[in-house]
Amino acid sequence: MPGLLRGVARTAVVAGTATAVSNRVSRRQQGRWAAQAEEQQAYQQPQGYQQPPPAPAPAAPPSTADEMTNKIDQLKQLGDLKAQGILSEAEFEEQKRRLLA
């Protein structure tokens, strides 16, 4: 029985060591691949380059008078929120732009 226990213990130690080494190698490879990907990306885009924002969709005229009335009501609500101090000037302009687009 002691010989069997010793063999099982040795096997567990070898398996645990192999797992630890394998995990470490995998982490190092992932780190190298990530560094290579960053280098490639740096070469593809100059530093400080930002992609331009997508062009806004062309504004389509409202198809019915109800839609126009709905937009006017929403603009009034936005104006009320701005007057109450709930919306800042920038937030108001952004929401107005979205509504009218």
Side-chain angles (χ1 to χ4, degrees):
M1 193 65 144
L4 179 64
L5 189 58
R6 185 176 298 148
V8 170
R10 182 179 298 141
T11 301
V13 168
V14 170
T17 303
T19 301
V21 169
S22 174
N23 289 340
R24 183 167 185 233
V25 168
S26 294
R27 282 193 303 270
R28 288 177 64 194
Q29 284 178 341
Q30 287 175 348
R32 286 180 186 161
W33 292 338
Q36 286 176 350
E38 288 175 6
E39 286 178 12
Q40 285 180 344
Q41 190 174 18
Y43 286 123
Q44 290 174 354
Q45 292 182 355
Q47 218 171 12
Y49 174 79
Q50 294 179 353
Q51 291 183 344
S63 60
T64 64
D66 290 338
E67 288 180 13
M68 183 60 106
T69 304
N70 188 20
K71 285 188 177 189
I72 291 172
D73 290 341
Q74 288 178 346
L75 283 171
K76 287 179 182 178
Q77 288 175 349
L78 284 174
D80 291 342
L81 291 173
K82 181 183 166 210
Q84 293 172 7
I86 296 173
L87 290 179
S88 68
E89 181 68 31
E91 292 170 330
F92 172 75
E93 291 297 325
E94 174 67 20
Q95 292 300 323
K96 184 174 76 171
R97 184 188 61 77
R98 286 184 183 176
L99 183 62
L100 295 176

